[in-house]
Amino acid sequence: MNNSIAILGAQWGDEGKGKIVDLLTEKCDIVVRFQGGHNAGHTLVVDGKTTVLHLIPSGILHNNVKCIIGNGVVLSLDALSEEIEILKENNIDVNNQLIISNGCPLILPVHIALDKAREVKKGKAKIGTTGRGIGPAYEDKISRRGIRLGDLSNDRELFNKIEELLDYHNYILKNYYNSETFDPEKMCEKLISQYDFYKGYIADVPEYIENAFKDNKRIVFEGAQGTLLDIDHGTYPFVTSSNTTVGGIFTGSGVSPKKLDYILAIVKAYTTRVGSGPFMTELFDENGKILSERGHEFGATTGRERRCGWLDLVALKRSIIINGFTGICLTKLDVLDTFKKIKICTEYKDDKPIYEDFEGWNESIEGINKFSDLPKNAQIYIKKIQDYLNVPIDIISNGPGRNENIILNKKFS
Ligand code: GDP
Ligand code: IMO
Ligand code: MG
């Protein structure tokens, strides 16, 4: 395996990134999250037991692996401590494994209030955010008004910063949104009390990663959300507020692009999306229902029903241009097992998707771990995707479990 791999969502999130990060971490030393926040929900199924992670990198179930939260992640201290406690209850040695950058911007209760108030105000035009305060927290970072984890070490200055921040937001909450305001003293007190819990996890992340490379350690960079939710390259304004694409790795963790030697696209064998925004291949018929039910397409964070549709190769081609993917991991292929006919979108015409039809395989592919054992029609479907995108399919995932895969590139076996 290469020394460093990026694992990124190529669609609108929930492609199965968490599962694949967990799988490939078997042979790695470090997993780094570099953007997003607890809007993410990454599901790992190991020996029949399900773990859903939101902020903690998906390498945490391997007890020798260090899990880093880089400066590009917006951090809710409440959400993270909850996640840490659950893992500790399950005998995960989080104290020994987790490392956090002191540059992480904090998600404060005021950000959550703003996120929710805005969505209400937008009414039908809402983005359908996760309501986790992600957008407002990133805005405060960019406006240079934000509080970072490292700021909690200086009580006096912290109070001044919070006062300034709340002075601004309280005005808007009260006068524009007509909603409740926040008290700087209380907020400051709570943050200071939380710092004790967190200070032991803080490290200089760029230096840590640099030293790890020098020691020939293997590193996985774990993306959250997906390419089409990227703030710059996604379906704006129906996007999240971070760079979910490859560039986010470098700014969000402090590593040089020269250090990255493999970029893996996680591609779901069909398409899903949570929240509002365009979705060219969305299905409103029985087929959409089957995808939803067979794929258990409900959000791992908010429980919302995911919108479902056929695979969109036009959108994926765009995703490949932006990220320069080295290889593809095709997930949830088993969800298509029961279809008699399957469609793939290969073109847009007059703002409508043009499909190519494929015969389904109509049998279970559960338990198969060799490409040649797959039904012929499944092989044809996979080859079409690979030929169109001109990127090798290196892994096929045919079940939620850690070991339910077909590994095609021996780098990963
Ligand atoms: P992520 O956000 O990209 O990590 O993906 P999520 O965890 O939000 O959603 C993926 C869902 O599909 C989870 O429930 C996984 O357990 C499940 N899953 C992942 N890979 C497969 C697969 O190959 N087949 C099936 N049936 N389920 C899968
Ligand atoms: P993972 O990492 C799918 C979507 C929300 C909404 C938009 C903006 O599990 O793939 P935000 O709260 O980020 O401001 O919401 O982005 N969204 C996701 N959709 N998977 C995710 O994460 C998502 N994180 C955010 O539904 O449409
Ligand atoms: Mg998810």
Side-chain angles (χ1 to χ4, degrees):
M1 202 150 96
N2 306 59
N3 262 357
S4 67
I5 299 178
I7 298 179
L8 305 174
Q11 295 149 315
W12 278 293
D14 304 324
E15 298 91 347
K17 299 173 291 293
K19 173 197 154 156
I20 302 302
V21 170
D22 170 68
L23 168 75
L24 297 185
T25 304
E26 192 87 48
K27 290 193 194 143
C28 284
D29 306 286
I30 298 170
V31 181
V32 184
R33 270 282 304 269
F34 54 88
Q35 46 72 229
H38 65 308
N39 50 350
H42 297 176
T43 314
L44 323 184
V45 181
V46 180
D47 299 329
K49 189 175 167 179
T50 300
T51 306
V52 181
L53 299 169
H54 302 284
L55 276 163
I56 296 199
S58 300
I60 198 79
L61 300 187
H62 299 271
N63 60 20
N64 51 343
V65 167
K66 299 288 184 207
C67 289
I68 299 183
I69 298 179
N71 60 279
V73 173
V74 281
L75 206 59
S76 155
L77 296 182
D78 294 334
L80 182 56
S81 60
E82 204 175 294
E83 206 169 318
I84 289 173
E85 291 310 331
I86 292 171
L87 288 168
K88 282 183 177 170
E89 278 164 25
N90 285 280
N91 299 318
I92 310 286
D93 191 5
V94 184
N95 287 359
N96 189 36
Q97 290 181 254
L98 184 65
I99 292 164
I100 311 175
S101 162
N102 62 4
C104 289
L106 299 185
I107 297 182
L108 305 170
V110 66
H111 296 133
I112 295 168
L114 284 165
D115 191 356
K116 290 181 175 162
R118 277 185 200 165
E119 288 281 276
V120 170
K121 184 118 184 160
K122 274 179 177 281
K124 272 199 180 135
K126 72 177 182 195
I127 291 166
T129 72
T130 59
R132 300 295 192 266
I134 305 293
Y138 275 119
E139 285 166 34
D140 270 359
K141 162 182 163 167
I142 299 298
S143 70
R144 297 164 288 188
R145 192 191 303 128
I147 311 292
R148 312 206 300 178
L149 181 58
D151 290 332
L152 307 194
S153 66
N154 186 330
D155 300 12
R156 237 201 118 62
E157 278 186 29
L158 179 66
F159 183 76
N160 294 336
K161 284 177 186 165
I162 291 178
E163 209 176 24
E164 192 188 322
L165 179 144
L166 285 183
D167 190 44
Y168 179 79
H169 289 310
N170 278 341
Y171 182 83
I172 294 166
L173 280 170
K174 186 165 163 229
N175 298 300
Y176 186 65
Y177 292 117
N178 205 3
S179 65
E180 274 179 48
T181 57
F182 291 83
D183 175 52
E185 237 157 73
K186 270 195 206 146
M187 192 176 284
C188 192
E189 237 168 64
K190 178 162 182 209
L191 287 171
I192 288 164
S193 72
Q194 283 176 308
Y195 189 57
D196 264 350
F197 178 86
Y198 281 106
K199 63 185 176 200
Y201 294 110
I202 296 174
D204 182 332
V205 169
E207 190 176 276
Y208 188 95
I209 295 176
E210 174 71 9
N211 288 335
F213 276 122
K214 280 187 188 144
D215 294 340
N216 272 320
K217 301 272 195 232
R218 288 168 160 181
I219 306 185
V220 171
F221 293 92
E222 174 183 11
Q225 291 82 52
T227 297
L228 305 174
L229 287 171
D230 183 281
I231 183 71
D232 288 293
H233 300 288
T235 47
Y236 192 90
F238 300 100
V239 292
T240 190
S241 298
S242 66
N243 283 115
T244 59
T245 47
V246 69
I249 295 175
F250 314 115
T251 51
S253 64
V255 66
S256 162
K258 289 192 283 188
K259 292 280 170 51
L260 195 62
D261 40 35
Y262 190 98
I263 310 166
L264 183 66
I266 309 298
V267 174
K268 199 180 279 195
Y270 49 98
T271 312
T272 62
R273 164 161 215 172
V274 202
S276 325
F279 182 170
M280 208 56 153
T281 61
E282 184 167 12
L283 290 166
F284 301 95
D285 60 4
E286 194 54 32
N287 287 328
K289 270 198 206 121
I290 296 171
L291 288 173
S292 168
E293 275 162 27
R294 287 192 48 82
H296 303 289
E297 297 297 353
F298 292 89
T301 294
T302 57
R304 287 180 294 172
E305 196 170 347
R306 296 173 183 151
R307 300 154 64 191
C308 294
W310 299 120
L311 190 67
D312 182 347
L313 289 182
V314 179
L316 278 169
K317 195 99 193 173
R318 183 81 191 159
S319 182
I320 283 161
I321 291 174
I322 290 157
N323 294 291
F325 290 123
T326 323
I328 290 171
C329 168
L330 188 69
T331 61
K332 303 191 85 161
L333 187 65
D334 55 298
V335 173
L336 301 177
D337 280 356
T338 59
F339 286 94
K340 291 206 171 63
K341 291 250 189 279
I342 304 172
K343 288 175 188 286
I344 293 185
C345 168
T346 54
E347 206 187 320
Y348 298 164
K349 208 171 179 182
D350 303 328
D351 268 344
K352 289 212 172 65
I354 306 291
Y355 292 108
E356 230 174 82
D357 289 343
F358 290 79
E359 293 296 319
W361 43 95
N362 225 340
E363 62 180 282
S364 170
I365 59 165
E366 196 189 323
I368 292 178
N369 52 28
K370 260 170 57 192
F371 186 81
S372 55
D373 289 345
L374 282 172
K376 190 123 190 290
N377 287 344
Q379 296 188 17
I380 292 169
Y381 186 76
I382 294 161
K383 282 198 180 123
K384 171 71 198 185
I385 297 167
Q386 179 165 281
D387 291 347
Y388 184 103
L389 297 175
N390 199 22
V391 176
I393 294 184
D394 285 345
I395 303 173
I396 295 160
S397 170
N398 57 340
R402 186 188 266 174
N403 301 317
E404 294 182 284
N405 308 294
I406 299 166
I407 310 279
L408 295 158
N409 184 336
K410 53 181 189 303
K411 240 199 288 281
F412 298 119
S413 53

